[in-house]
Each structure stands twice: as structure tokens, then as C-alpha cells.
């Protein structure tokens, strides 16, 4: 039986890519009975009724999946945050990074709209770039207007399935339009009264780019830490994860415990203070979360 990858799901149809052609498929009834929903990114076995239509027979085991946006088998997340309009938000970026780390997806930080910065603002952004590179994350500073940094991004998407996520209005669709001009994805200007953009992307779709796939998605509609437990949070901060083995107490939460290697690293400026403060904020949020039964 032929195999392919779901690149779009719309109105009960799944569009399966297989060696240059796209087959419009329906899912078998057995999926409904088993309460399994095929997702964009799924590698599937299908049966072709003709050159254009068929049925999905089986879904291969997923290495990961996201609920919002609904997509499977993601290799990396390109987290797009604007340098200006809306202002760069390290708090929101750290929230995204935690969620991506928890799903064991490699993050790439992309700071867009660099062309809007004055000299002082650029220096501030460069400081954040240095902080995140110190943690070990790749950081790209780009502009869809001047094309700065876009060629480097193409190197990252090659041979990978990537999700582009971030704030609304930061230039995700504009960036994809620069990378692949024939897309002509719909973009909206920022609403000046709200300081944010209108959502222009309505469904998840994988777009072929270089030798890889990029998902233009509606973004993460939920940024709450629903599944992460207190003892798991510090593992979502790489700079804490590597130092926690040197803490005196096993299961150290890096807040009140003595002889904590993480707190020592913060005091020595080895871990950026803003990252640690956001960690404590997220930790409290998880502790305050209502129990699920």
C-alpha cells in the first residue's frame, strides 16, 4: 500500500502528499470508533481510489503531537517575536519555549521587524540575543522588508517539519511570503488601537519549503501549562536542567532550598536573572493550578 504525509486537513478531508502528488482522502470509519483523529504531519498508509482520491488506512506512530495547533511529528518550532510593533516580549517567549521544550521539539528563535528599530532599541534586542544564545538557542534577527536573515532561516527548515508560532501580528505570514513568494499568504496590518494583529491563518497546512515542510498555523491558542508538573518545569529550562544535578537536594525546585546550584548560577550571572524570574512565575502558576480529577 502507498504511504504519504498529511499536509492539510479541511472539512473532513485529508490531503496526503506522496512523491509530488496530493491525494484527497477520507479517514476510515475505524478511526472514529477508536476516537483517533488524523493530524496534519501524520505519516499514513492510504489506498487510492483513483489519481485524486482515496482512503487513509493506517496512521504510523507519532513522535510527538500538539493539540493547539493540531499537528504531529514536528521537528522544530520557529518562534517568531517582533522587535517592535508589538514590542518584544521575553516573558511570552519564555512561555513558548517551555511549552516547546516540554514536547521535546527543537526551538529556533526568530526576532522579526528588525528594520523598525532605532540604535538604542537594537542594542537592547542584541542583549536578549546574547542571553538566549548563551542558553544554547539559535537566534535569527530578520526583516521581511530588507530580507535580513531570511537566507539563514532557509538553512534551518531544510529536511525538517517546522511549526511557525508566535504572537499574532509579528510577521509570520509576511516572513513565509518572503521565503516563498508564490504563497501570497494573507496578511493584516496591526490594529493600532489593540497593538496586535488580527488572526489571518484559519487552518493548519504544511507548505513545502526547500527540502522540508513548514506549517503555517493559527498559532498556540492555549499557552497554559496544563500538563507540566512542578518537578518537570526546570527541565524545560536547559540552563537549569544541566545545573540541577549539582543541587544538594534531589527534586530541588530552585526557590527555597539551600545549596542550590541553579540559584548560585543566577547570583553569578551565569543564568540570566529575567529567565529565573519567569521560571518562578511559571512555577507559582503551576502550583496555583486547579487540580484535575
Amino acid at each position: 500500500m502507498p504511504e504519504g504525509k498529511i499536509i492539510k486537513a479541511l472539512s473532513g478531508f485529508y490531503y496526503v502528499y506522496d512523491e509530488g502528488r496530493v491525494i484527497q482522502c477520507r479517514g476510515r470509519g475505524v478511526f472514529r470508533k477508536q476516537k483517533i483523529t488524523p493530524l496534519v504531519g501524520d505519516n499514513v498508509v492510504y489506498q487510492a481510489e483513483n489519481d485524486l482520491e482515496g482512503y487513509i488506512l493506517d496512521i504510523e506512530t507519532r513522535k510527538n503531537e500538539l493539540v493547539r495547533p493540531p499537528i504531529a511529528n514536528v521537528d522544530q518550532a520557529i518562534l517568531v517575536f517582533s522587535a517592535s510593533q508589538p514590542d518584544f516580549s521575553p516573558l511570552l517567549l519564555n512561555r513558548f519555549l517551555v511549552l516547546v521544550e516540554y514536547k521535546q521539539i527543537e526551538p529556533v528563535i526568530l526576532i522579526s521587524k528588525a528594520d523598525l528599530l532605532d540604535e538604542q532599541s537594537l542594542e537592547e534586542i542584541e542583549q536578549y540575543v546574547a542571553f538566549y544564545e548563551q542558553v544554547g538557542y539559535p537566534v535569527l534577527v530578520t526583516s521581511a522588508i530588507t530580507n535580513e536573515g531570511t537566507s539563514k532561516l532557509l538553512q534551518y527548515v531544510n529536511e525538517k517539519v517546522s511549526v511557525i508560532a508566535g504572537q499574532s501580528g509579528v510577521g509570520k505570514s509576511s516572513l513565509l511570503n518572503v521565503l516563498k513568494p508564490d504563497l501570497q499568504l494573507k496578511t493584516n496590518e496591526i490594529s493600532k488601537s489593540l497593538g496586535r494583529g488580527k488572526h489571518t491563518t484559519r487552518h493548519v497546512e504544511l507548505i513545502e519549503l526547500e527540502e522540508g515542510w513548514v506549517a503555517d498555523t493559527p498559532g498556540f491558542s492555549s499557552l497554559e501549562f496544563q500538563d507540566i508538573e512542578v518537578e518537570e518545569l526546570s527541565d524545560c529550562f536547559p540552563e537549569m536542567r544541566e545545573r540541577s544535578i549539582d543541587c544538594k537536594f534531589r527534586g530541588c525546585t530552585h526557590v527555597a532550598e539551600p545549596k542550590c546550584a541553579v540559584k548560585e548560577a543566577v547570583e553569578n550571572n551565569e543564568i540570566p536573572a529575567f529567565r529565573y524570574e519567569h521560571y518562578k512565575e511559571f512555577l507559582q502558576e503551576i502550583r496555583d493550578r486547579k487540580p484535575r480529577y
Side-chain angles (χ1 to χ4, degrees):
M1 286 293 178
E3 298 181 5
K5 180 186 289 291
I6 297 176
I7 61 170
K8 183 167 71 170
L10 202 59
S11 303
F13 288 101
Y14 303 97
Y15 296 82
V16 177
Y17 178 91
D18 181 10
E19 295 185 349
R21 64 174 186 160
V22 177
I23 312 295
Q24 179 181 280
C25 295
R26 286 194 178 276
R28 282 174 58 196
V30 67
F31 294 136
R32 283 193 297 274
K33 290 177 184 174
Q34 296 173 348
K35 295 184 178 178
I36 296 172
T37 302
L39 294 175
V40 169
D42 272 333
N43 297 310
V44 300
V45 177
Y46 71 95
Q47 181 177 11
E49 300 288 295
N50 51 54
D51 286 344
L52 297 174
E53 298 174 309
Y55 284 88
I56 293 173
L57 302 178
D58 194 22
I59 299 171
E60 295 181 15
T61 303
R62 296 165 180 159
K63 72 174 185 179
N64 57 41
E65 65 180 273
L66 299 174
V67 177
R68 292 182 292 270
I71 188 170
N73 301 316
V74 178
D75 295 314
Q76 68 181 6
I78 300 166
L79 304 178
V80 185
F81 280 73
S82 62
S84 180
Q85 297 183 19
D87 291 341
F88 180 69
S89 172
L91 175 64
L92 190 56
L93 173 55
N94 287 335
R95 185 174 282 271
F96 270 91
L97 285 167
V98 166
L99 292 165
V100 167
E101 287 274 2
Y102 183 71
K103 291 290 185 179
Q104 297 184 321
I105 297 170
E106 292 289 326
V108 176
I109 299 170
L110 191 152
I111 300 175
S112 66
K113 302 186 182 180
D115 53 284
L116 298 179
L117 295 177
D118 58 29
E119 194 170 326
Q120 182 179 347
S121 300
L122 184 60
E123 283 181 11
E124 291 175 10
I125 290 295
E126 286 173 345
Q127 280 188 323
Y128 280 115
V129 170
F131 283 142
Y132 284 108
E133 287 180 338
Q134 177 188 330
V135 170
Y137 292 128
V139 185
L140 300 175
V141 180
T142 69
S143 166
I145 304 298
T146 65
N147 286 354
E148 177 189 350
T150 51
S151 59
K152 285 185 181 177
L153 179 58
L154 286 172
Q155 299 169 18
Y156 280 98
V157 301
N158 198 27
E159 297 184 349
K160 292 184 177 179
V161 174
S162 305
V163 168
I164 292 185
Q167 290 164 289
S168 180
V170 297
K172 298 188 293 293
S173 293
S174 297
L175 187 66
L176 276 171
N177 285 337
V178 169
L179 294 175
K180 193 167 184 177
D182 58 326
L183 283 176
Q184 296 184 334
L185 294 172
K186 185 180 177 187
T187 60
N188 273 332
E189 289 185 3
I190 292 288
S191 163
K192 288 196 166 55
S193 60
L194 295 174
R196 56 186 171 86
K198 298 175 183 176
H199 287 288
T200 53
T201 316
R202 297 299 175 194
H203 64 274
V204 181
E205 181 174 354
L206 285 178
I207 298 163
E208 196 171 12
L209 198 60
E210 293 293 291
E211 296 296 316
W213 295 95
V214 176
D216 186 37
T217 77
F220 291 78
S221 57
S222 174
L223 290 172
E224 296 176 1
F225 304 127
Q226 294 289 352
D227 302 317
I228 304 175
E229 301 300 334
V230 165
E231 60 274 12
E232 295 174 314
L233 181 62
S234 65
D235 284 342
C236 299
F237 287 74
E239 67 273 40
M240 296 186 189
R241 184 169 63 228
E242 66 183 33
R243 289 174 171 84
S244 60
I245 55 172
D246 295 323
C247 292
K248 180 179 181 181
F249 294 99
R250 197 172 174 180
C252 181
T253 62
H254 320 303
V255 178
E257 299 90 341
K259 296 187 178 177
C260 168
V262 168
K263 286 195 293 182
E264 188 176 317
V266 175
E267 289 167 8
N268 294 334
N269 295 319
E270 294 166 11
I271 291 178
F274 77 96
R275 286 273 290 174
Y276 180 64
E277 290 304 316
H278 293 165
Y279 163 78
K280 290 195 294 183
E281 191 173 320
F282 299 158
L283 189 69
Q284 192 59 49
E285 184 179 324
I286 292 170
R287 283 174 168 157
D288 293 342
R289 185 175 62 200
K290 291 179 181 178
R292 289 170 295 170
Y293 301 102

